[in-house]
Amino acid sequence: NKAMIELPAKFKNQPPVNPTADKLIGGYRGAEGLANDILYYGKLLKEKAFEKIGELYPKADGKTVIAWLWARTVTCSNPACGHRMPLVHSFKLSTKQKVFVNPIVDGDKIRFKICNDDKNIPEGTVNRNGACCLFCGANVPLEHVRAEGKAGRLSAQLMAIVAEGEHGRVYLAPDPQHEKIADVEKPDDYPSGELADDPRNLWTKPYGLDEWHKLFTNRQLTALITFSKLIFEIQSQVQLDGGSKDYADALAVYLAFLVDKLVDRISSACSWDASRDGIRNTFGRQAIPMVWSFAEANPFSHSSSCFDNMLDWIYKSVKELPAKTVGEVDKHSALEKFSLPPVIVSTDPPYYDNIGYANLSEFFYVWMRRPLRRIYPQLFGRMSFGKDAELIAEPARHANNKTAARNFFEDGLFQALKNIHEVARDDYPITIYYAFKQQDAELDGTASTGWETMLTALIHAGFQITATQFCVDLFTQNAFNEITFGEADVLARAKNISVGGLEDSGAVISARGRVRLRDRDEIPVLNENKQLDKDWLKTLAESNCAWLWVQSLVKIFDKAGIAGCAELLTHFDGDTESLKNLAYRLYNICEKKNWAKEGTGYNELVVEWQDILSKRAEFMQSKSSEPVQGELF
């Protein structure tokens, strides 16, 4: 957010400081100068890194290597065998070129041969049910593989080399010299820290890959640490070239992103995608997978997952950023009240228990903090960041108590939405992105716990969601008559709401597997003294549902006329025009359905609407001019 909002605006319209920059006629606009320097100093970073570690990435057969493909190995569980067996999910290398690796048992070793056809492709040696030893044919349970991994006895064998050819990818057999070059010492200052207990998202931990540095080969660690350290040299160079310290720090932020993008492409959780002849990044989904045959990318190539690609993406993105108005980005807990004037709110809240974002984000954090902890000590001062405050229903953070995890999420979500409601502008809708799909089965059908929780919290926090739409559709189809819960549930889901949330709002009545709109006879808008019922006014305010307001107005018009409607509307804080429009729409529906009696109430409301508003204005003026008792000093 800082890199998109704060930094481009801070250095907007400034020319680049690098010595090769052109002096454009009319100057540089927006973030163009910043982007130009990102490209220049990013290339300089690559050159400096290649000088230091270029020998770790040799060519193969005179060609630049794109990736080295490795097969993890483990000792066979058969005591009579004891060989190091390769664990390979698939031996296919290219679907387009019809290339695969053929493993050949050669004494006490496995030799890999590159084959160019699509026949007799051997099956992989490992899947979710276990592994198979190529030496003795024994079935090896995954429990054995996990135990060996936790004991630190997983290793790897080079299976193939992918290089850049004149007409596409070239697949080469393993080279012992390349395997030797890759066997470097682990650098001393590797990122430490243990992966969280999250079996849904962190799949490597049961196999002993339970610390962040274990997700990388020694060569990968060496490269990434080298890139990170060189960012400090780049900062000094920027200042020597005439840039301020603040500007050098800003460029360091974007170069840190570059390293983080490389981290996604340079880990042992990356695999080779035979369908497109390329490397599949670590986060192909919201999880860190356990990859048996992994692809180690060459950052100095000119193809998939290379340094140049990462730099180009960042350069193009920054160049297009608006960089017009100065903005400020701050970090604040949504569970604490905001001291803000009315603001436009757009938010993407956590999805119940679906994804542990904090657990996954630390994969990038441990690398980003290396070059940025001095620039933003308040953000990167810790070796890892606290996860317990993350608003998700994670049982592992509550002694594996699902009820406690659910209560933590529901209470926190309500408080967060309540705080947001207090500062959200009335003239703009709040947008909430909630792509939750998980469903939990219940006795009376199927209901999504995540959606139910979100919608209930929204209503209780004071927001109005699209219950106007559900009620109108249900009214159009069946008036105030009952339908089955299943039918109502389908209709509610189409509107991104829930039957439970509608029932809480007072719009519908649900009982014994049947659902219907609340009849106006059941709306207690007036109490026994023919005064506005305070409890119902509270329901209207909390639900903020236009349907209920219109039904209440129709009922009170019949009992107390224009004055009664006007008094009720003094408690309505929204756009009164929306209520009139809804009443008119309901009248049209009744007219088409030949529901003359029902349509009369809506018609009368629309006809007298202007007089109702005039009377409302009188009431509100009267309230504002009522005398108040003075104070004695």
Coordinates of all heavy atoms in Angstrom, one line a residue, residues 46 57 64-67 164 169 227 257-259 261-266 278-279 296-314:
K46 N 21.3 -6.8 -10.6 CA 21.5 -8.1 -11.2 C 23.0 -8.2 -11.6 O 23.6 -9.3 -11.4 CB 20.6 -8.2 -12.4 CG 20.8 -9.5 -13.2 CD 20.0 -9.5 -14.5 CE 20.4 -10.7 -15.4 NZ 19.7 -10.7 -16.7
Y57 N 25.8 -20.7 -11.5 CA 24.7 -21.0 -12.5 C 25.4 -21.2 -13.9 O 25.3 -20.4 -14.8 CB 23.7 -19.8 -12.5 CG 23.0 -19.7 -11.2 CD1 23.5 -18.9 -10.2 CD2 21.8 -20.4 -11.0 CE1 22.8 -18.8 -9.0 CE2 21.1 -20.3 -9.8 CZ 21.6 -19.5 -8.8 OH 20.9 -19.4 -7.6
T64 N 22.2 -21.5 -22.0 CA 21.8 -21.0 -20.7 C 20.7 -21.9 -20.1 O 19.7 -22.2 -20.7 CB 21.3 -19.6 -20.8 OG1 22.3 -18.7 -21.4 CG2 20.8 -19.0 -19.5
V65 N 21.0 -22.3 -18.8 CA 20.0 -23.1 -18.1 C 18.8 -22.3 -17.7 O 19.0 -21.2 -17.1 CB 20.7 -23.8 -16.9 CG1 19.7 -24.6 -16.1 CG2 21.8 -24.8 -17.4
I66 N 17.6 -22.9 -17.9 CA 16.4 -22.3 -17.3 C 16.1 -22.9 -15.9 O 15.8 -22.1 -15.0 CB 15.2 -22.6 -18.3 CG1 15.4 -21.9 -19.6 CG2 13.9 -22.2 -17.6 CD1 14.4 -22.3 -20.6
A67 N 16.3 -24.2 -15.8 CA 16.0 -24.8 -14.5 C 16.7 -26.1 -14.4 O 16.9 -26.8 -15.4 CB 14.5 -25.0 -14.3
E164 N 17.8 -23.1 -22.6 CA 17.2 -22.3 -23.6 C 17.8 -22.7 -25.0 O 19.0 -22.7 -25.2 CB 17.6 -20.8 -23.4 CG 17.0 -20.2 -22.1 CD 17.5 -18.8 -21.9 OE1 18.3 -18.3 -22.7 OE2 17.0 -18.2 -20.9
R169 N 12.4 -24.8 -25.6 CA 13.2 -25.5 -24.5 C 14.0 -26.7 -25.0 O 13.6 -27.4 -25.9 CB 12.2 -26.0 -23.5 CG 11.2 -25.0 -22.9 CD 11.9 -24.0 -22.0 NE 11.0 -23.2 -21.2 CZ 10.8 -21.9 -21.5 NH1 11.4 -21.3 -22.5 NH2 10.0 -21.2 -20.7
F227 N 21.2 -11.2 -3.3 CA 20.3 -10.1 -3.8 C 19.9 -9.1 -2.7 O 19.9 -7.9 -2.9 CB 19.1 -10.7 -4.5 CG 19.4 -11.3 -5.8 CD1 19.0 -12.7 -6.1 CD2 19.9 -10.6 -6.8 CE1 19.2 -13.2 -7.3 CE2 20.2 -11.2 -8.1 CZ 19.8 -12.5 -8.3
F257 N 10.7 -5.8 -3.2 CA 9.6 -6.5 -3.8 C 10.2 -7.5 -4.9 O 9.7 -8.6 -5.1 CB 8.7 -5.6 -4.5 CG 7.8 -4.7 -3.6 CD1 7.1 -3.6 -4.1 CD2 7.8 -5.0 -2.2 CE1 6.4 -2.9 -3.2 CE2 7.0 -4.3 -1.4 CZ 6.3 -3.2 -1.9
L258 N 11.2 -7.0 -5.6 CA 11.8 -7.9 -6.6 C 12.3 -9.1 -6.0 O 12.1 -10.2 -6.6 CB 12.9 -7.1 -7.3 CG 13.4 -7.5 -8.7 CD1 14.1 -6.4 -9.4 CD2 14.4 -8.7 -8.5
V259 N 13.0 -9.0 -4.9 CA 13.5 -10.2 -4.2 C 12.4 -11.1 -3.8 O 12.4 -12.3 -3.9 CB 14.4 -9.8 -3.0 CG1 14.9 -11.1 -2.2 CG2 15.7 -9.1 -3.5
K261 N 9.5 -11.4 -5.1 CA 8.9 -12.1 -6.3 C 9.8 -13.2 -6.7 O 9.3 -14.3 -7.1 CB 8.7 -11.1 -7.4 CG 7.6 -10.1 -7.2 CD 7.3 -9.2 -8.4 CE 6.7 -10.0 -9.5 NZ 5.3 -10.4 -9.2
L262 N 11.1 -13.1 -6.5 CA 12.0 -14.2 -6.8 C 11.8 -15.3 -5.8 O 11.9 -16.5 -6.2 CB 13.4 -13.7 -6.8 CG 14.0 -12.9 -8.0 CD1 15.4 -12.4 -7.7 CD2 14.0 -13.9 -9.2
V263 N 11.5 -15.0 -4.6 CA 11.4 -16.0 -3.5 C 10.2 -16.9 -3.9 O 10.2 -18.1 -3.7 CB 11.1 -15.3 -2.2 CG1 10.6 -16.4 -1.2 CG2 12.3 -14.6 -1.7
D264 N 9.1 -16.3 -4.5 CA 8.0 -17.1 -4.9 C 8.4 -18.1 -6.1 O 7.7 -19.1 -6.2 CB 6.9 -16.2 -5.4 CG 5.6 -16.9 -5.7 OD1 5.3 -18.0 -5.1 OD2 4.9 -16.5 -6.7
R265 N 9.4 -17.7 -6.8 CA 9.8 -18.5 -8.0 C 11.1 -19.3 -7.7 O 11.4 -20.2 -8.6 CB 10.1 -17.6 -9.2 CG 8.8 -16.8 -9.6 CD 8.0 -17.6 -10.5 NE 6.7 -16.9 -10.9 CZ 5.9 -17.4 -11.8 NH1 6.1 -18.5 -12.4 NH2 4.8 -16.7 -12.1
I266 N 11.7 -19.1 -6.6 CA 13.0 -19.8 -6.4 C 12.9 -20.4 -5.0 O 13.4 -19.9 -4.0 CB 14.2 -18.8 -6.4 CG1 14.3 -18.2 -7.8 CG2 15.5 -19.5 -6.1 CD1 15.4 -17.2 -8.0
G278 N 7.2 -24.7 -18.3 CA 7.6 -23.7 -17.4 C 7.6 -24.0 -16.0 O 7.0 -25.1 -15.6
I279 N 8.1 -23.1 -15.1 CA 8.1 -23.4 -13.7 C 6.8 -22.9 -13.1 O 6.3 -21.8 -13.3 CB 9.3 -22.6 -13.1 CG1 10.6 -23.2 -13.6 CG2 9.3 -22.7 -11.5 CD1 11.9 -22.5 -13.1
E296 N 14.4 -26.0 -9.8 CA 15.3 -24.9 -9.3 C 15.6 -23.9 -10.4 O 16.3 -24.3 -11.4 CB 16.6 -25.5 -8.7 CG 17.4 -24.4 -8.1 CD 18.7 -24.9 -7.6 OE1 19.1 -26.1 -7.8 OE2 19.5 -24.2 -6.9
A297 N 15.0 -22.8 -10.4 CA 15.2 -21.8 -11.5 C 16.5 -21.1 -11.5 O 17.2 -21.0 -10.4 CB 14.1 -20.7 -11.4
N298 N 16.9 -20.7 -12.7 CA 18.2 -19.9 -12.8 C 17.7 -18.5 -12.9 O 17.2 -18.0 -14.0 CB 18.9 -20.3 -14.1 CG 20.1 -19.5 -14.3 OD1 20.5 -18.7 -13.5 ND2 20.8 -19.7 -15.5
P299 N 18.0 -17.6 -11.9 CA 17.5 -16.2 -12.0 C 18.2 -15.4 -13.1 O 17.8 -14.4 -13.5 CB 17.9 -15.7 -10.6 CG 19.0 -16.6 -10.1 CD 18.7 -17.9 -10.7
F300 N 19.4 -15.9 -13.6 CA 20.1 -15.2 -14.6 C 19.8 -15.7 -16.0 O 20.5 -15.3 -17.0 CB 21.6 -15.4 -14.3 CG 22.0 -14.8 -13.0 CD1 22.4 -15.7 -12.0 CD2 22.0 -13.5 -12.7 CE1 22.8 -15.2 -10.7 CE2 22.4 -13.0 -11.5 CZ 22.8 -13.8 -10.5
S301 N 18.8 -16.5 -16.1 CA 18.3 -16.9 -17.5 C 17.5 -15.8 -18.1 O 17.3 -14.7 -17.5 CB 17.5 -18.2 -17.4 OG 16.3 -18.0 -16.8
H302 N 16.9 -16.1 -19.2 CA 16.0 -15.1 -19.9 C 14.6 -15.7 -20.1 O 13.9 -15.2 -21.0 CB 16.6 -14.6 -21.2 CG 18.0 -14.2 -21.1 ND1 18.4 -13.0 -20.5 CD2 19.2 -14.8 -21.5 CE1 19.7 -12.9 -20.6 NE2 20.2 -14.0 -21.1
S303 N 14.3 -16.6 -19.3 CA 13.0 -17.3 -19.4 C 12.2 -17.4 -18.1 O 12.4 -16.5 -17.3 CB 13.3 -18.7 -20.0 OG 14.0 -18.7 -21.2
S304 N 11.5 -18.4 -18.0 CA 10.6 -18.6 -16.9 C 11.2 -18.3 -15.5 O 12.3 -18.9 -15.3 CB 10.0 -20.0 -16.9 OG 9.1 -20.2 -15.8
S305 N 10.6 -17.5 -14.7 CA 11.0 -17.2 -13.3 C 12.4 -16.5 -13.2 O 13.0 -16.6 -12.2 CB 11.1 -18.6 -12.5 OG 9.8 -19.2 -12.5
C306 N 12.8 -15.8 -14.2 CA 14.1 -15.1 -14.1 C 14.0 -13.8 -13.5 O 12.9 -13.2 -13.4 CB 14.7 -15.0 -15.5 SG 13.8 -13.9 -16.6
F307 N 15.1 -13.2 -13.1 CA 15.2 -11.9 -12.5 C 14.6 -10.8 -13.4 O 13.9 -9.9 -12.9 CB 16.7 -11.6 -12.2 CG 17.0 -10.3 -11.5 CD1 17.2 -10.3 -10.1 CD2 17.0 -9.1 -12.2 CE1 17.5 -9.1 -9.5 CE2 17.2 -7.9 -11.5 CZ 17.5 -7.9 -10.2
D308 N 14.9 -10.9 -14.7 CA 14.5 -9.8 -15.6 C 12.9 -9.8 -15.7 O 12.4 -8.7 -15.8 CB 15.0 -10.1 -17.0 CG 16.5 -9.8 -17.1 OD1 17.0 -9.2 -16.2 OD2 17.1 -10.3 -18.1
N309 N 12.3 -10.9 -15.6 CA 10.8 -10.9 -15.6 C 10.2 -10.2 -14.4 O 9.3 -9.4 -14.5 CB 10.3 -12.3 -15.7 CG 10.4 -12.9 -17.1 OD1 10.7 -12.2 -18.0 ND2 10.1 -14.2 -17.2
M310 N 10.8 -10.5 -13.2 CA 10.3 -9.9 -12.0 C 10.5 -8.4 -12.0 O 9.6 -7.6 -11.7 CB 11.1 -10.4 -10.8 CG 11.2 -11.9 -10.7 SD 9.6 -12.8 -10.7 CE 10.0 -14.2 -11.7
L311 N 11.7 -7.9 -12.5 CA 12.0 -6.5 -12.6 C 11.0 -5.8 -13.6 O 10.5 -4.7 -13.3 CB 13.4 -6.3 -13.0 CG 13.9 -4.9 -13.3 CD1 13.7 -4.0 -12.0 CD2 15.3 -4.8 -13.7
D312 N 10.8 -6.4 -14.7 CA 9.9 -5.9 -15.7 C 8.5 -5.7 -15.2 O 7.9 -4.6 -15.5 CB 9.9 -6.7 -17.0 CG 9.3 -6.0 -18.2 OD1 9.7 -4.9 -18.5 OD2 8.4 -6.6 -18.8
W313 N 8.0 -6.6 -14.5 CA 6.6 -6.5 -13.9 C 6.5 -5.3 -13.0 O 5.6 -4.6 -13.0 CB 6.2 -7.8 -13.2 CG 5.9 -9.0 -14.1 CD1 5.5 -8.9 -15.4 CD2 6.0 -10.3 -13.8 NE1 5.4 -10.2 -15.9 CE2 5.7 -11.1 -14.9 CE3 6.4 -11.1 -12.6 CZ2 5.7 -12.5 -15.0 CZ3 6.4 -12.4 -12.7 CH2 6.0 -13.1 -13.8
I314 N 7.5 -5.2 -12.1 CA 7.5 -4.1 -11.1 C 7.6 -2.7 -11.9 O 6.9 -1.8 -11.6 CB 8.6 -4.3 -10.1 CG1 8.4 -5.5 -9.3 CG2 8.7 -3.0 -9.2 CD1 9.5 -5.9 -8.3

